Amino acid sequence: MARRAISLLPQWSSRVFSLELDGASFYFSLQEKHRGGGEVPRVFRGVQPCDRCYSVLVCSSDRIRQAKFYWELKDKLLRDLPPDCDVSPMSSFLPNVKDSLISGFFLKDSSQSSDRLLRDLIRHDPVLVCSYLRGGDGQLWTQHLWSGPDSQRSQQQYYVVPSEAPECHPATLNIINSDVFYSFEEAREVMRKCGDIIPEAASVMELLPSRAEARGKPDFPVIVIEGLDATGKTTLTESLRDSLGATLLRSPPQCLSPLRARFDREPPLIRRAFYALGNYITAEQVSQQGMKTPVIVDRFWHSTAAYAIATAVSGPVCNLPAEGSEVYRWPSDLLQPSLVVVLTLDPEERRRRLRDRGQGKTEEEQELDHNQLFRLKVEEAYRRISGPACVTVDAGPSADQVLQQVQLLIRGKCHL
């Protein structure tokens, strides 16, 4: 298994490694020959002489299996490793090469008892294990690939050297059709391949349209209302439905509600495909209803993409893909609304409303509630999505005032 994992990763010595530790990113790269001088990569500076360091990277030609195993690996490591073993997120990538990112974990073990678990992992599982050894002078570090359970080190060793942060955050290399889906066929293919391991995937497949296509706009306008929880979306969408004589739809659609809890437990690749397909089911409903009445949609692709991008890209807002990046483009085969309004609200007021509601929240909404940085990334991702872009409306005033402001936007943009 280890040899197969290595064969999936050509250009090993050209890879850069990223380690997330205490909210910061540390980078190092490899050299096949020691060139003298240089400094110790920052991630190794605090390592004590008794510590052993390892990386465990998940790599498989089957990306469903890879996603599932990575999602379960952290729990396995935390459960089976000794308490004094530190486990941190880690990744490896080829700079500026799409889909080159592989994820895993960095282990620092002072008990020196990780070897047996790691040997068991490479015996059967889609992982590549490396150990890191300190040179006699304490300055030089080398990386050794494990070639098999009975031979912990391969003949090849690499010298570990510091590396500059890449121009683009490494997570952005794998966003397209993994964290955010831009095609019905790509999302459907993930769901189809899940059929053997997730019985509920068959139920999702039965609800899908036979195909998606970039249809022209329906006869009546389609208005999407976006925003974080507790910004007043439900009140506004219901008021617009009544005042415009419109049809109100939601994404994810009601038909997927019984399945959401099941897919929320899955790794991002599968969970994001599920929600992406929900947008295509909603689009089919919009196309039908939009021939008869205006349509109001409570959340759509903007939410799906903004939350996924903010979750995938760790660190500060500046780590997000640059404005104008292709990750913010609207899927070419997904119906485009006539107007997208995103409601914004002062964070303290939003938290107060959430407390008053006392309702259960998704994991991502819980993250929004206590993590200001995550909220800022979601809001910035909303702002950068194009085709169509969002129009921002302050949801702080009374519900009637917000309704009047949005009605003015609709009259100006949609001529209703």
Side-chain angles (χ1 to χ4, degrees):
M1 183 61 70
R3 295 182 190 280
R4 192 183 313 163
I6 293 171
S7 71
L8 294 170
L9 296 172
Q11 299 178 278
W12 181 255
S13 61
S14 301
R15 287 186 160 267
V16 175
F17 297 79
S18 172
L19 177 64
E20 302 291 330
L21 192 61
D22 298 327
S25 297
F26 300 90
Y27 297 92
F28 64 87
S29 56
L30 307 175
Q31 292 177 354
E32 294 190 18
K33 296 182 179 179
H34 179 44
R35 297 170 188 168
E39 58 179 318
V40 177
R42 290 172 60 195
V43 69
F44 293 107
R45 290 180 191 172
V47 176
Q48 300 301 312
C50 62
D51 293 337
R52 290 190 179 185
C53 297
Y54 310 91
S55 57
V56 183
L57 297 169
V58 182
C59 45
S60 171
S61 56
D62 181 343
R63 68 177 187 148
I64 303 296
R65 184 182 183 218
Q66 179 171 321
K68 287 281 287 183
F69 185 78
Y70 173 77
W71 192 241
E72 297 163 356
L73 179 59
K74 184 175 184 180
D75 287 340
K76 179 179 179 65
L77 293 175
L78 293 177
R79 182 183 67 247
D80 296 343
L81 288 172
D84 54 355
C85 183
D86 295 330
V87 179
S88 304
M90 186 182 195
S91 62
S92 172
F93 60 96
L94 294 170
N96 301 317
V97 178
K98 289 182 182 178
D99 298 322
S100 66
L101 184 78
I102 55 172
S103 298
F105 299 96
F106 185 83
L107 280 56
K108 187 172 72 172
D109 181 13
S110 59
S111 71
Q112 303 185 14
S113 58
S114 303
D115 284 9
R116 178 177 296 179
L117 172 63
L118 297 179
R119 284 197 298 271
D120 288 343
L121 282 178
I122 64 173
R123 192 184 304 274
H124 302 293
D125 296 315
V127 297
L128 185 60
V129 175
C130 300
S131 54
Y132 298 85
L133 301 180
R134 187 201 315 258
D137 59 359
Q139 297 297 308
L140 188 64
W141 283 83
T142 53
Q143 180 200 72
H144 302 262
L145 281 72
W146 289 21
S147 59
D150 300 318
S151 176
Q152 292 183 11
R153 299 184 205 168
S154 70
Q155 296 301 309
Q156 181 67 57
Q157 72 171 19
Y158 298 93
Y159 295 93
V160 179
V161 295
S163 180
E164 295 293 327
E167 181 179 346
C168 299
H169 190 278
T172 63
L173 298 173
N174 283 36
I175 281 180
I176 294 178
N177 291 324
S178 289
D179 292 289
V180 184
F181 285 85
Y182 301 83
S183 152
F184 173 75
E185 293 299 334
E186 288 280 356
R188 184 172 66 173
E189 182 64 9
V190 169
M191 193 59 54
R192 185 188 68 78
K193 289 182 176 179
C194 288
D196 293 340
I197 54 175
I198 304 175
E200 293 84 353
S203 300
V204 178
M205 296 291 287
E206 291 172 0
L207 295 168
L208 298 179
S210 58
R211 63 192 180 96
E213 55 188 16
R215 301 179 179 179
K217 285 188 171 60
D219 293 346
F220 288 87
V222 177
I223 299 105
V224 173
I225 306 299
E226 291 280 4
L228 309 182
D229 274 7
T231 52
K233 292 191 309 302
T234 300
T235 300
L236 176 60
T237 54
E238 291 177 352
S239 298
L240 288 172
R241 175 195 61 195
D242 297 341
S243 64
L244 298 176
T247 299
L248 175 57
L249 299 172
R250 291 182 171 84
S251 188
Q254 185 63 35
C255 62
L256 289 184
S257 293
L259 301 168
R260 288 183 66 179
R262 176 66 182 86
F263 282 92
D264 280 343
R265 299 197 302 268
E266 292 300 323
L269 174 68
I270 298 171
R271 186 169 71 248
R272 302 305 182 191
F274 171 78
Y275 283 106
L277 292 170
N279 287 327
Y280 286 98
I281 295 172
T282 297
E284 188 76 6
Q285 297 171 348
V286 169
S287 295
Q288 295 169 4
Q289 297 300 320
M291 304 305 292
K292 301 176 286 187
T293 67
V295 179
I296 309 299
V297 186
D298 185 341
R299 287 188 168 171
F300 200 38
W301 190 80
H302 285 74
S303 284
T304 310
Y307 277 83
I309 293 167
T311 302
V313 180
S314 62
V317 174
C318 63
N319 282 354
L320 292 175
E323 197 158 359
S325 166
E326 61 182 332
V327 306
Y328 301 117
R329 63 175 169 82
W330 190 269
S332 60
D333 60 356
L334 183 64
L335 180 143
Q336 287 195 18
S338 313
L339 174 67
V340 180
V341 174
V342 60
L343 301 178
T344 62
L345 191 62
D346 175 77
E348 276 303 318
E349 173 61 15
R350 197 182 77 86
R351 279 194 286 269
R352 184 192 67 77
R353 292 185 185 183
L354 281 169
R355 285 195 300 270
D356 291 347
R357 283 163 53 167
Q359 296 177 346
K361 292 171 284 186
T362 65
E363 183 178 336
E364 285 173 341
E365 283 296 339
Q366 291 173 357
E367 182 73 4
L368 278 173
D369 205 17
H370 75 265
N371 188 332
Q372 180 184 14
L373 176 58
F374 183 64
R375 176 181 58 80
L376 291 172
K377 289 195 292 186
V378 171
E379 291 177 341
E380 183 60 23
Y382 267 128
R383 191 187 69 77
R384 295 183 184 184
I385 292 172
S386 60
C390 294
V391 179
T392 300
V393 170
D394 180 11
S398 70
D400 285 343
Q401 289 175 297
V402 174
L403 174 62
Q404 290 172 13
Q405 186 175 352
V406 174
Q407 285 173 328
L408 283 173
L409 285 171
I410 292 172
R411 279 198 288 270
K413 177 73 174 177
C414 307
H415 311 294
L416 279 180

PDB file of all heavy atoms in Angstrom, residues 368-386:
ATOM      1  N   LEU A 368     -19.834  30.189  13.018  1.00  0.00           N
ATOM      2  CA  LEU A 368     -20.095  31.610  12.789  1.00  0.00           C
ATOM      3  C   LEU A 368     -20.352  32.336  14.100  1.00  0.00           C
ATOM      4  O   LEU A 368     -19.940  33.479  14.287  1.00  0.00           O
ATOM      5  CB  LEU A 368     -21.324  31.785  11.887  1.00  0.00           C
ATOM      6  CG  LEU A 368     -21.145  31.644  10.387  1.00  0.00           C
ATOM      7  CD1 LEU A 368     -22.499  31.675   9.711  1.00  0.00           C
ATOM      8  CD2 LEU A 368     -20.280  32.773   9.843  1.00  0.00           C
ATOM      9  N   ASP A 369     -21.052  31.658  14.997  1.00  0.00           N
ATOM     10  CA  ASP A 369     -21.492  32.285  16.232  1.00  0.00           C
ATOM     11  C   ASP A 369     -20.326  32.672  17.133  1.00  0.00           C
ATOM     12  O   ASP A 369     -20.387  33.676  17.833  1.00  0.00           O
ATOM     13  CB  ASP A 369     -22.444  31.327  16.969  1.00  0.00           C
ATOM     14  CG  ASP A 369     -23.395  32.080  17.880  1.00  0.00           C
ATOM     15  OD1 ASP A 369     -23.528  33.302  17.703  1.00  0.00           O
ATOM     16  OD2 ASP A 369     -24.002  31.435  18.750  1.00  0.00           O
ATOM     17  N   HIS A 370     -19.246  31.884  17.130  1.00  0.00           N
ATOM     18  CA  HIS A 370     -18.148  32.185  18.050  1.00  0.00           C
ATOM     19  C   HIS A 370     -16.847  32.560  17.346  1.00  0.00           C
ATOM     20  O   HIS A 370     -15.872  32.904  18.000  1.00  0.00           O
ATOM     21  CB  HIS A 370     -17.901  30.996  18.991  1.00  0.00           C
ATOM     22  CG  HIS A 370     -17.208  29.837  18.353  1.00  0.00           C
ATOM     23  ND1 HIS A 370     -17.879  28.769  17.832  1.00  0.00           N
ATOM     24  CD2 HIS A 370     -15.889  29.585  18.135  1.00  0.00           C
ATOM     25  CE1 HIS A 370     -17.015  27.906  17.334  1.00  0.00           C
ATOM     26  NE2 HIS A 370     -15.801  28.377  17.493  1.00  0.00           N
ATOM     27  N   ASN A 371     -16.814  32.510  16.030  1.00  0.00           N
ATOM     28  CA  ASN A 371     -15.580  32.762  15.305  1.00  0.00           C
ATOM     29  C   ASN A 371     -15.768  33.941  14.357  1.00  0.00           C
ATOM     30  O   ASN A 371     -16.319  33.805  13.266  1.00  0.00           O
ATOM     31  CB  ASN A 371     -15.171  31.502  14.522  1.00  0.00           C
ATOM     32  CG  ASN A 371     -13.791  31.635  13.905  1.00  0.00           C
ATOM     33  OD1 ASN A 371     -13.336  32.740  13.600  1.00  0.00           O
ATOM     34  ND2 ASN A 371     -13.121  30.513  13.723  1.00  0.00           N
ATOM     35  N   GLN A 372     -15.317  35.101  14.791  1.00  0.00           N
ATOM     36  CA  GLN A 372     -15.496  36.305  13.975  1.00  0.00           C
ATOM     37  C   GLN A 372     -14.752  36.194  12.649  1.00  0.00           C
ATOM     38  O   GLN A 372     -15.240  36.650  11.610  1.00  0.00           O
ATOM     39  CB  GLN A 372     -15.008  37.526  14.749  1.00  0.00           C
ATOM     40  CG  GLN A 372     -15.162  38.836  13.967  1.00  0.00           C
ATOM     41  CD  GLN A 372     -14.591  40.022  14.714  1.00  0.00           C
ATOM     42  OE1 GLN A 372     -13.850  39.860  15.688  1.00  0.00           O
ATOM     43  NE2 GLN A 372     -14.927  41.213  14.275  1.00  0.00           N
ATOM     44  N   LEU A 373     -13.578  35.569  12.665  1.00  0.00           N
ATOM     45  CA  LEU A 373     -12.790  35.438  11.440  1.00  0.00           C
ATOM     46  C   LEU A 373     -13.549  34.625  10.398  1.00  0.00           C
ATOM     47  O   LEU A 373     -13.583  34.986   9.218  1.00  0.00           O
ATOM     48  CB  LEU A 373     -11.448  34.786  11.755  1.00  0.00           C
ATOM     49  CG  LEU A 373     -10.540  34.496  10.558  1.00  0.00           C
ATOM     50  CD1 LEU A 373     -10.239  35.773   9.785  1.00  0.00           C
ATOM     51  CD2 LEU A 373      -9.233  33.835  11.041  1.00  0.00           C
ATOM     52  N   PHE A 374     -14.159  33.524  10.806  1.00  0.00           N
ATOM     53  CA  PHE A 374     -14.925  32.715   9.864  1.00  0.00           C
ATOM     54  C   PHE A 374     -16.078  33.520   9.275  1.00  0.00           C
ATOM     55  O   PHE A 374     -16.337  33.473   8.077  1.00  0.00           O
ATOM     56  CB  PHE A 374     -15.446  31.462  10.566  1.00  0.00           C
ATOM     57  CG  PHE A 374     -16.206  30.521   9.661  1.00  0.00           C
ATOM     58  CD1 PHE A 374     -15.573  29.899   8.603  1.00  0.00           C
ATOM     59  CD2 PHE A 374     -17.546  30.263   9.867  1.00  0.00           C
ATOM     60  CE1 PHE A 374     -16.260  29.022   7.763  1.00  0.00           C
ATOM     61  CE2 PHE A 374     -18.250  29.396   9.041  1.00  0.00           C
ATOM     62  CZ  PHE A 374     -17.604  28.781   7.990  1.00  0.00           C
ATOM     63  N   ARG A 375     -16.757  34.292  10.114  1.00  0.00           N
ATOM     64  CA  ARG A 375     -17.868  35.124   9.625  1.00  0.00           C
ATOM     65  C   ARG A 375     -17.371  36.128   8.585  1.00  0.00           C
ATOM     66  O   ARG A 375     -18.005  36.323   7.539  1.00  0.00           O
ATOM     67  CB  ARG A 375     -18.523  35.861  10.796  1.00  0.00           C
ATOM     68  CG  ARG A 375     -19.635  36.824  10.370  1.00  0.00           C
ATOM     69  CD  ARG A 375     -20.232  37.545  11.557  1.00  0.00           C
ATOM     70  NE  ARG A 375     -19.237  38.295  12.303  1.00  0.00           N
ATOM     71  CZ  ARG A 375     -18.782  39.484  11.932  1.00  0.00           C
ATOM     72  NH1 ARG A 375     -19.207  40.047  10.807  1.00  0.00           N
ATOM     73  NH2 ARG A 375     -17.888  40.118  12.661  1.00  0.00           N
ATOM     74  N   LEU A 376     -16.230  36.760   8.860  1.00  0.00           N
ATOM     75  CA  LEU A 376     -15.687  37.732   7.909  1.00  0.00           C
ATOM     76  C   LEU A 376     -15.345  37.072   6.574  1.00  0.00           C
ATOM     77  O   LEU A 376     -15.554  37.658   5.499  1.00  0.00           O
ATOM     78  CB  LEU A 376     -14.442  38.403   8.497  1.00  0.00           C
ATOM     79  CG  LEU A 376     -14.677  39.339   9.682  1.00  0.00           C
ATOM     80  CD1 LEU A 376     -13.348  39.782  10.281  1.00  0.00           C
ATOM     81  CD2 LEU A 376     -15.505  40.549   9.254  1.00  0.00           C
ATOM     82  N   LYS A 377     -14.834  35.843   6.623  1.00  0.00           N
ATOM     83  CA  LYS A 377     -14.497  35.141   5.379  1.00  0.00           C
ATOM     84  C   LYS A 377     -15.752  34.782   4.590  1.00  0.00           C
ATOM     85  O   LYS A 377     -15.778  34.905   3.361  1.00  0.00           O
ATOM     86  CB  LYS A 377     -13.671  33.892   5.683  1.00  0.00           C
ATOM     87  CG  LYS A 377     -12.246  34.199   6.140  1.00  0.00           C
ATOM     88  CD  LYS A 377     -11.344  32.985   6.099  1.00  0.00           C
ATOM     89  CE  LYS A 377     -11.728  31.945   7.121  1.00  0.00           C
ATOM     90  NZ  LYS A 377     -10.766  30.825   7.169  1.00  0.00           N
ATOM     91  N   VAL A 378     -16.800  34.342   5.300  1.00  0.00           N
ATOM     92  CA  VAL A 378     -18.061  34.044   4.613  1.00  0.00           C
ATOM     93  C   VAL A 378     -18.604  35.304   3.940  1.00  0.00           C
ATOM     94  O   VAL A 378     -18.996  35.282   2.761  1.00  0.00           O
ATOM     95  CB  VAL A 378     -19.093  33.460   5.600  1.00  0.00           C
ATOM     96  CG1 VAL A 378     -20.472  33.368   4.934  1.00  0.00           C
ATOM     97  CG2 VAL A 378     -18.665  32.077   6.075  1.00  0.00           C
ATOM     98  N   GLU A 379     -18.630  36.403   4.671  1.00  0.00           N
ATOM     99  CA  GLU A 379     -19.176  37.648   4.116  1.00  0.00           C
ATOM    100  C   GLU A 379     -18.351  38.139   2.932  1.00  0.00           C
ATOM    101  O   GLU A 379     -18.906  38.632   1.938  1.00  0.00           O
ATOM    102  CB  GLU A 379     -19.239  38.710   5.212  1.00  0.00           C
ATOM    103  CG  GLU A 379     -20.284  38.393   6.274  1.00  0.00           C
ATOM    104  CD  GLU A 379     -20.315  39.406   7.406  1.00  0.00           C
ATOM    105  OE1 GLU A 379     -19.317  40.144   7.580  1.00  0.00           O
ATOM    106  OE2 GLU A 379     -21.322  39.445   8.123  1.00  0.00           O
ATOM    107  N   GLU A 380     -17.020  37.999   3.014  1.00  0.00           N
ATOM    108  CA  GLU A 380     -16.176  38.435   1.903  1.00  0.00           C
ATOM    109  C   GLU A 380     -16.362  37.530   0.691  1.00  0.00           C
ATOM    110  O   GLU A 380     -16.363  37.999  -0.459  1.00  0.00           O
ATOM    111  CB  GLU A 380     -14.713  38.460   2.334  1.00  0.00           C
ATOM    112  CG  GLU A 380     -13.743  38.979   1.281  1.00  0.00           C
ATOM    113  CD  GLU A 380     -14.043  40.409   0.838  1.00  0.00           C
ATOM    114  OE1 GLU A 380     -14.694  41.157   1.603  1.00  0.00           O
ATOM    115  OE2 GLU A 380     -13.606  40.782  -0.270  1.00  0.00           O
ATOM    116  N   ALA A 381     -16.520  36.222   0.918  1.00  0.00           N
ATOM    117  CA  ALA A 381     -16.763  35.306  -0.203  1.00  0.00           C
ATOM    118  C   ALA A 381     -18.087  35.648  -0.881  1.00  0.00           C
ATOM    119  O   ALA A 381     -18.173  35.638  -2.120  1.00  0.00           O
ATOM    120  CB  ALA A 381     -16.769  33.861   0.290  1.00  0.00           C
ATOM    121  N   TYR A 382     -19.130  35.953  -0.104  1.00  0.00           N
ATOM    122  CA  TYR A 382     -20.394  36.432  -0.678  1.00  0.00           C
ATOM    123  C   TYR A 382     -20.134  37.612  -1.613  1.00  0.00           C
ATOM    124  O   TYR A 382     -20.634  37.670  -2.747  1.00  0.00           O
ATOM    125  CB  TYR A 382     -21.329  36.916   0.438  1.00  0.00           C
ATOM    126  CG  TYR A 382     -22.312  35.911   0.975  1.00  0.00           C
ATOM    127  CD1 TYR A 382     -22.405  35.676   2.349  1.00  0.00           C
ATOM    128  CD2 TYR A 382     -23.178  35.220   0.138  1.00  0.00           C
ATOM    129  CE1 TYR A 382     -23.320  34.775   2.875  1.00  0.00           C
ATOM    130  CE2 TYR A 382     -24.100  34.327   0.652  1.00  0.00           C
ATOM    131  CZ  TYR A 382     -24.163  34.097   2.009  1.00  0.00           C
ATOM    132  OH  TYR A 382     -25.076  33.210   2.515  1.00  0.00           O
ATOM    133  N   ARG A 383     -19.354  38.569  -1.117  1.00  0.00           N
ATOM    134  CA  ARG A 383     -19.141  39.806  -1.870  1.00  0.00           C
ATOM    135  C   ARG A 383     -18.411  39.555  -3.185  1.00  0.00           C
ATOM    136  O   ARG A 383     -18.660  40.253  -4.181  1.00  0.00           O
ATOM    137  CB  ARG A 383     -18.337  40.788  -1.010  1.00  0.00           C
ATOM    138  CG  ARG A 383     -18.278  42.202  -1.575  1.00  0.00           C
ATOM    139  CD  ARG A 383     -17.340  43.083  -0.774  1.00  0.00           C
ATOM    140  NE  ARG A 383     -15.945  42.701  -0.935  1.00  0.00           N
ATOM    141  CZ  ARG A 383     -15.212  42.994  -2.002  1.00  0.00           C
ATOM    142  NH1 ARG A 383     -15.752  43.646  -3.028  1.00  0.00           N
ATOM    143  NH2 ARG A 383     -13.953  42.613  -2.082  1.00  0.00           N
ATOM    144  N   ARG A 384     -17.529  38.551  -3.221  1.00  0.00           N
ATOM    145  CA  ARG A 384     -16.690  38.343  -4.405  1.00  0.00           C
ATOM    146  C   ARG A 384     -17.348  37.482  -5.475  1.00  0.00           C
ATOM    147  O   ARG A 384     -16.857  37.429  -6.607  1.00  0.00           O
ATOM    148  CB  ARG A 384     -15.357  37.703  -3.974  1.00  0.00           C
ATOM    149  CG  ARG A 384     -14.516  38.604  -3.093  1.00  0.00           C
ATOM    150  CD  ARG A 384     -13.171  37.985  -2.745  1.00  0.00           C
ATOM    151  NE  ARG A 384     -12.424  38.833  -1.825  1.00  0.00           N
ATOM    152  CZ  ARG A 384     -11.188  38.593  -1.401  1.00  0.00           C
ATOM    153  NH1 ARG A 384     -10.548  37.518  -1.842  1.00  0.00           N
ATOM    154  NH2 ARG A 384     -10.588  39.406  -0.561  1.00  0.00           N
ATOM    155  N   ILE A 385     -18.424  36.784  -5.134  1.00  0.00           N
ATOM    156  CA  ILE A 385     -19.076  35.934  -6.131  1.00  0.00           C
ATOM    157  C   ILE A 385     -19.689  36.811  -7.221  1.00  0.00           C
ATOM    158  O   ILE A 385     -20.322  37.825  -6.950  1.00  0.00           O
ATOM    159  CB  ILE A 385     -20.147  35.047  -5.472  1.00  0.00           C
ATOM    160  CG1 ILE A 385     -19.470  34.021  -4.558  1.00  0.00           C
ATOM    161  CG2 ILE A 385     -20.992  34.332  -6.525  1.00  0.00           C
ATOM    162  CD1 ILE A 385     -20.438  33.219  -3.714  1.00  0.00           C
ATOM    163  N   SER A 386     -19.495  36.392  -8.460  1.00  0.00           N
ATOM    164  CA  SER A 386     -19.983  37.189  -9.590  1.00  0.00           C
ATOM    165  C   SER A 386     -20.893  36.363 -10.479  1.00  0.00           C
ATOM    166  O   SER A 386     -20.887  35.135 -10.435  1.00  0.00           O
ATOM    167  CB  SER A 386     -18.797  37.691 -10.430  1.00  0.00           C
ATOM    168  OG  SER A 386     -18.044  36.602 -10.930  1.00  0.00           O
TER     169      SER A 386
END
